[in-house]
Amino acid sequence: MKNILITGGAGFIGSHVVRLFCNRYPEYHIFNLDALTYAGNLENLRDVEQKPNYTFIKGDICDVEAVQEIFTRHAIDAVVHLAAESHVDRSIRDPLSFARTNVMGTLNLLQAARVAWNDLTDKLFYHVSTDEVYGSLHNPDEFFVETTPYDPQSPYSASKASSDHFVRAFANTFGLPTVVSNCSNNYGPNQFPEKLIPLFINNIRHGKPLPVYGSGDNVRDWIYVEDHARAIDAIFHRGRRGDTYNIGGFNEWRNIDLVRTLVATADRLLGNPAGHSERLITFVADRAGHDLRYAIDSSKLHRELGWQPSLQFEEGVERTVRWYLDNQQWLERVTSGEYANYYRQMYGD
Ligand code: NAD
Ligand code: DAU
């Protein structure tokens, strides 16, 4: 039996990782540590919560005593660290909370692992990070590889870059067994509807404007969330300790093209005439410091661990749009309260 601490397991990607690990590895006990911020939702884990190999712990990764106690009380063998503030727009409004959670929270977990793990045999600290640490690409032939120099451009990516550096510093200085992965934009069920894809599907459903930042020419590289979870599984079990893996699906889309695809798919599934919701597309002021293009080269992960995405983008988009249209109550529950205030501040009524 291994005791695995997954942080941020009630969030978007974390919930898919918790589900995969609980189902595939009954010999592991999964401890899900999550503060249940606006982005954490235990409803995402309804199908897992009764499993004998799953325990939820409500707590803050910045809480020094609470985190130390988790390591000793539950004899944690490995960490998969996903808890973070994850939305770039929020980091522009409130950078300090990103430094607190993403930098200090990660450091607190590293320190607790170092203190608890006298014997490092079979221990692992897996840090889940983002491609945004590499900055913004301007040459169309360029891709982010694992050795691309860090050049974070937003408070969010600066906080994630800092946390990555701390993880590597602990590996180098204290010999902590670590692995880092940097992934591109995820999409799929259970993503909080402040991010482009769920926000726009929800707005199409309600006939609300689709606020495309700037010219809509920014490019993102999209991966289905379950494929990211499968990659984490492969790296957790077979990744080289001390190493870094980029995760991505070689699937670049200009924002405006992606938005038109979402509109066409949603209109079809809603039974609207073709092109019906195109009128909702509204170009708005650009995000401050908006990174132009992200594009991940994940060939190392494919070459060394045999991972590749399981889903074609067309199928993933269809599944995703259908999930949000079918799960209107989930959307209503997560968009009430604090999120309604945030939405008014960002986009007006
Ligand atoms: P999310 O915002 O959906 O979920 C974050 C989770 O962390 C929530 O459940 C929240 O309650 C929890 N959390 C926040 N602060 C906490 C704290 N102080 N203590 C304990 N729990 C806390 O995020 P996500 O999109 O699922 O991203 C998960 C991780 O993957 C993040 O580290 C993010 O940087 C990284 N990542 C995300 C993407 C993406 O496209 N979403 C891509 C690459 C990497
Ligand atoms: O690349 C990985 C990163 O992807 C993760 O590390 C982040 O946690 C995740 O939030 C995501 O960051 P982005 O900023 O790329 O995702 P977001 O969904 O916020 O925006 C995607 C693109 O769409 C981006 O170019 C900004 C644009 N956009 C976004 C919103 C919310 C709009 O045009 N309008 C919007 O209202």
Side-chain angles (χ1 to χ4, degrees), residues 7-14 33-41 59-62 81-87 100-102 128-131 156 160 182-187 190-192 194-195 228:
T7 69
F12 167 48
I13 302 169
L33 171 63
D34 198 297
L36 299 183
T37 68
Y38 77 94
N41 184 355
D60 186 337
I61 56 166
C62 300
H81 174 38
L82 295 111
E85 289 294 337
S86 69
H87 189 38
R100 179 185 179 275
T101 297
N102 299 357
V128 175
S129 192
T130 171
D131 60 358
Y156 164 70
K160 291 295 292 187
N182 297 84
C183 187
S184 63
N185 285 61
N186 285 222
Y187 71 99
N190 301 110
Q191 186 170 32
F192 194 84
E194 63 189 354
K195 309 277 167 65
H228 186 189

Side-chain angles (χ1 to χ4, degrees), residues 13 85-89 129-132 156 160 183-186 191 194-200 210-214 216 218-222 255 258-259 284 286-287 290-292 294 342 346-347:
I13 302 169
E85 289 294 337
S86 69
H87 189 38
V88 174
D89 291 326
S129 192
T130 171
D131 60 358
E132 299 201 14
Y156 164 70
K160 291 295 292 187
C183 187
S184 63
N185 285 61
N186 285 222
Q191 186 170 32
E194 63 189 354
K195 309 277 167 65
L196 179 79
I197 290 185
L199 174 71
F200 279 33
L210 307 177
V212 176
Y213 296 159
N218 303 68
V219 173
R220 296 292 182 267
D221 184 355
W222 295 93
N255 287 345
L258 173 60
V259 169
V284 300
D286 209 352
R287 173 184 277 174
H290 198 173
D291 286 339
L292 181 64
Y294 305 144
Y342 167 81
M346 279 293 294
Y347 304 108

Side-chain angles (χ1 to χ4, degrees), residues 8-44:
F12 167 48
I13 302 169
S15 59
H16 290 275
V17 175
V18 166
R19 177 175 301 104
L20 178 69
F21 273 58
C22 282
N23 288 336
R24 187 173 286 177
Y25 303 106
E27 70 275 25
Y28 294 170
H29 196 102
I30 304 301
F31 294 90
N32 171 16
L33 171 63
D34 198 297
L36 299 183
T37 68
Y38 77 94
N41 184 355
L42 287 178
E43 213 181 315
N44 296 347

Side-chain angles (χ1 to χ4, degrees), residues 14 79 103 127 139 208 259 297 307 310 322 337 345:
V79 178
V103 184
H127 179 59
N139 173 351
K208 287 172 71 173
V259 169
D297 179 344
W307 175 91
S310 67
R322 200 181 285 281
Q345 282 173 18

